[in-house]
Amino acid sequence: MKLSNTWRSAAALTVALIGAASLSGCIQEVPVVSRESGNPTTNMTLDEQRAWVAAQFDEAVDATGVSEGWHWGSDTVVSWDANAEHRETILGSWFPRSCSAGGKLVESLRFKDTVADPAATAAAVRAFWESEGWVVTDVREDAANRDPYIRADREDGAGLGFQASDLGMSLTATSACSVNNTVTNWQDHVGTEATAFEEELDRKVAEHVRQYEETD
């Protein structure tokens, strides 16, 4: 199904609203991990970027010791778990943002439930990232115990972020900037079939239009 300009605009608006709504939850800030240094670039394909981000999420979730309850999205919430359909929906919804001469993925997961010991959880994530060679720093040093907020950076421009509080956690992964054609011209490589996520957005847009027409 070829997406029309109207559909693309509606989908883009919905995705923007999802991102905005996510910021109003129990975790008020998404870790900022998009700092670039020297504009380094790679030649990762879009599929490789998606697989890399997914792997970072899986490893960080394991490090927190809390395997269930993580999700992606807000209005359209999809659980981050081993379900193949869930993974296909989420990964198929990740598209690059511009960076230098290429594109990068910047994606986040959230856990909206009580966290017994945010400081200990952040310490575990920090220790794991440092063991993997990341340079980990505190975003807000004065909040290390009450509201830990850390970031991890790598020379190729990739980054990770983690934030926790009594009320939840959030993870962010930013891939290195890639100049691969599947990233810089991703519209030509994702195919003409709508993904499950696009179909869900299409359904929601159509439902909103129908409700508006009924009340007009």
Side-chain angles (χ1 to χ4, degrees):
M1 179 177 68
K2 191 69 174 178
L3 301 180
S4 66
N5 290 334
T6 299
W7 155 245
R8 289 183 183 278
S9 297
L13 176 59
T14 305
V15 171
L17 291 174
I18 289 173
S22 297
L23 296 179
S24 63
C26 60
I27 296 295
Q28 296 302 318
E29 299 177 59
V30 173
V32 178
V33 294
S34 59
R35 181 190 303 159
E36 296 176 32
S37 176
N39 296 323
T41 58
T42 71
N43 195 42
M44 294 176 70
T45 66
L46 178 57
D47 284 342
E48 288 172 339
Q49 285 186 326
R50 288 170 168 173
W52 181 87
V53 169
Q56 303 313 306
F57 282 157
D58 284 338
E59 292 173 351
V61 165
D62 284 345
T64 67
V66 182
S67 60
E68 298 182 359
W70 292 88
H71 70 267
W72 177 86
S74 179
D75 292 338
T76 303
V77 173
V78 185
S79 296
W80 183 259
D81 52 34
N83 183 287
E85 184 177 351
H86 291 172
R87 286 297 176 101
E88 182 180 359
T89 298
I90 295 173
L91 269 65
S93 305
W94 291 349
F95 298 105
R97 302 184 186 184
S98 61
C99 58
S100 185
K104 63 183 178 182
L105 293 182
V106 182
E107 301 297 337
S108 298
L109 294 183
R110 289 177 174 79
F111 176 85
K112 294 184 177 181
D113 203 346
T114 302
V115 179
D117 193 339
T121 304
V125 174
R126 177 193 289 270
F128 171 71
W129 284 346
E130 289 178 339
S131 74
E132 293 291 298
W134 292 87
V135 177
V136 184
T137 56
D138 290 302
V139 177
R140 293 195 305 270
E141 293 184 4
D142 62 339
N145 292 319
R146 176 182 55 80
D147 185 15
Y149 185 7
I150 61 176
R151 62 176 291 151
D153 295 279
R154 208 168 61 181
E155 290 184 356
D156 63 0
L160 304 171
F162 176 76
Q163 186 176 6
S165 74
D166 293 339
L167 300 178
M169 298 180 282
S170 62
L171 278 166
T172 296
T174 299
S175 70
C177 186
S178 175
V179 294
N180 188 275
N181 190 52
T182 63
V183 176
T184 57
N185 298 298
W186 61 266
Q187 297 92 335
D188 297 332
H189 297 276
V190 297
T192 58
E193 292 296 322
T195 64
F197 181 70
E198 289 171 335
E199 291 171 352
E200 174 65 9
L201 286 179
D202 195 16
R203 184 191 66 77
K204 286 181 174 293
V205 170
E207 178 65 17
H208 285 308
V209 170
R210 183 188 64 79
Q211 292 177 354
Y212 175 80
E213 291 176 343
E214 289 179 351
T215 58
D216 188 12

